[in-house]
Amino acid sequence: MNSSNRLHMLPLILLLPVVLGFQQQDDHVSLVHQQGEQRVDVLVDGELFTSYLYSDVIPVLKKPVLFPVRTARGTAVTRGYPLEPRGGERVDHPHQIGFWLNYGDVNGFDFWNNSDALSPERAARSGIIRHRFIKTLESDKGRGILEVSTDWNSPDGRLLLVEDTRFVFRAEGDSRIIDRTTTLTAPDERVAMTDNKEGMIAMRVARELEHPSSGSVRLTDAGGRPMEENVTHNDGVSGSYWSSEGLTGEDVWGKRAPWVALSGVIGDESVTLAMYDHPQNPGYPTYWHARGYGLFSANPLGQKAFSDGAEELNLVVEQGESITFKYRFLVHSGESTFGDMQAVYDQFIN
């Protein structure tokens, strides 16, 4: 990197502790492999930030996920249902668990919608992502690194893609960051990721971060059990999307943008989540599959669905070749501004 680029980056890096309330403290990030429970806990100064779950015995879990995801104050920003249901949560889309990456059409198989709630006919067309092994597990001040390898299998067990993912977990003051770099390799055959609305990197957020709605929904009762009848209420529901392109609310859905943020209040805590696309990714800037009901997702490959047919991207990974996706996810406890979110994005892409 030349000197001019280093000087250009310096103000952005120095800006982060100011605009996001970072305290320049040495938050120690520890990664602990709970092998018997098939998870890796990510701890910040001994407190849980998130866990990498790769269980092959939880029926609803058809891919590895990060769950739960918590703020610096310990507040869960992910929906608990169906793994750890809390009172007052929606009970739709049981496949939307935590923070994950998969896709709706891989050689004709649906990896996105798979759960234990499917009919036998749909399950026969649904793929499964299985954890294979951990390659790297590093703990340090300010960040931890987890590198894993997984297999994308067809329902009959045929290997379609080998996934190699590197997670970098960062902690500074009131902010937490997850950087995810995922490389998909087609080892045995040509793999087509056909244009599809269902994808790709996503989080299902807590009820409080949904958009208020006018319709009735099915929720869990105080004990976390699904209620018999739908209800209409928005108690404590305060979420609102806003994008790098100046769009707000549900208008961000189906639009392109380098980043989108979601702000709301959980209890007495102001929370902002932000997801960042990288210029090296296919389909950049990504379309956003961000729904008011709590699905926060970036999908660079579903262009036909989001553009009403004006665009289309059918990604092909030839046998022996690979494709890489890079994303950043921010969890900030406290108020945030457009400038804050843009500064994090500038640091990410530089």
Side-chain angles (χ1 to χ4, degrees):
M1 181 183 298
N2 61 41
S3 59
S4 63
N5 284 339
R6 286 197 297 270
L7 290 173
H8 175 69
M9 288 174 61
L10 186 59
L12 298 174
I13 296 171
L14 293 180
L15 182 62
L16 290 175
V18 177
V19 299
L20 291 179
F22 288 180
Q23 301 167 13
Q24 292 292 306
Q25 63 192 44
D26 291 331
D27 297 305
H28 194 275
V29 182
S30 302
L31 273 63
V32 181
H33 189 194
Q34 309 285 2
Q35 191 165 358
E37 299 175 22
Q38 295 185 305
R39 74 174 197 265
V40 177
D41 290 337
V42 181
L43 309 174
V44 178
D45 292 336
E47 299 296 326
L48 184 67
F49 167 30
T50 189
S51 294
Y52 170 77
L53 303 184
Y54 60 92
S55 174
D56 55 9
V57 298
I58 300 176
V60 74
L61 198 61
K62 306 300 184 181
K63 72 274 187 181
V65 300
L66 297 181
F67 176 89
V69 178
R70 299 186 181 275
T71 69
R73 289 174 52 179
T75 302
V77 298
T78 42
R79 180 179 67 165
Y81 179 85
L83 295 185
E84 297 176 0
R86 304 184 292 267
E89 294 185 314
R90 291 185 188 243
V91 296
D92 55 70
H93 301 87
H95 55 278
Q96 295 179 2
I97 301 172
F99 186 39
W100 76 95
L101 186 151
N102 61 7
Y103 194 61
D105 191 335
V106 181
N107 274 10
F109 298 106
D110 182 0
F111 284 79
W112 177 269
N113 290 290
N114 198 2
S115 76
D116 63 345
L118 296 183
S119 66
E121 293 76 15
R122 290 191 64 190
R125 300 301 302 169
S126 296
I128 299 176
I129 303 176
R130 289 301 186 204
H131 171 88
R132 293 175 62 220
F133 58 87
I134 294 172
K135 298 189 290 184
T136 301
L137 199 69
E138 294 183 5
S139 303
D140 205 346
K141 289 183 178 180
R143 75 171 190 175
I145 298 174
L146 172 64
E147 295 182 338
V148 298
S149 183
T150 68
D151 288 343
W152 293 43
N153 295 320
S154 66
D156 61 2
R158 192 168 83 251
L159 178 62
L160 300 181
L161 292 167
V162 172
E163 173 189 326
D164 294 291
T165 288
R166 173 184 172 92
F167 296 101
V168 180
F169 303 98
R170 307 180 193 274
E172 295 185 61
D174 292 330
S175 290
R176 303 286 183 262
I177 285 177
I178 302 169
D179 286 340
R180 175 172 184 152
T181 303
T182 292
T183 298
L184 301 174
T185 302
D188 300 326
E189 60 184 275
R190 179 181 185 269
V191 173
M193 302 180 75
T194 304
D195 196 305
N196 191 281
K197 177 174 64 69
E198 308 289 21
M200 180 173 192
I201 186 166
M203 175 181 282
R204 183 61 191 262
V205 302
R207 171 72 169 155
E208 294 89 339
L209 298 179
E210 296 175 13
H211 281 60
S213 63
S214 58
S216 62
V217 295
R218 192 178 183 208
L219 303 176
T220 54
D221 62 19
R225 298 174 295 271
M227 299 172 65
E228 291 297 327
E229 296 182 357
N230 291 0
V231 297
T232 302
H233 79 76
N234 290 296
D235 297 346
V237 179
S238 60
S240 182
Y241 290 112
W242 41 294
S243 81
S244 57
E245 308 310 290
L247 298 174
T248 60
E250 295 195 59
D251 286 344
V252 304
W253 186 87
K255 309 296 193 309
R256 289 186 183 271
W259 59 261
V260 165
L262 173 63
S263 293
V265 178
I266 304 178
D268 63 352
E269 182 178 3
S270 296
V271 174
T272 298
L273 312 179
M275 198 178 300
Y276 300 88
D277 192 18
H278 196 281
Q280 294 177 2
N281 288 340
Y284 175 88
T286 185
Y287 278 99
W288 291 89
H289 189 20
R291 293 294 201 183
Y293 69 77
L295 174 65
F296 187 7
S297 176
N299 183 0
L301 306 184
Q303 298 186 10
K304 185 175 183 179
F306 297 124
S307 68
D308 290 328
E311 302 176 62
E312 187 171 352
L313 177 57
N314 295 306
L315 183 68
V316 172
V317 185
E318 297 291 347
Q319 182 181 356
E321 295 186 355
S322 303
I323 190 74
T324 297
F325 299 87
K326 301 178 182 180
Y327 297 100
R328 168 167 286 187
F329 189 79
L330 169 74
V331 182
H332 180 63
S333 178
E335 299 291 341
S336 301
T337 68
F338 184 96
D340 297 340
M341 299 299 99
Q342 185 64 38
V344 175
Y345 174 70
D346 290 339
Q347 186 200 40
F348 175 49
I349 66 172
N350 282 296

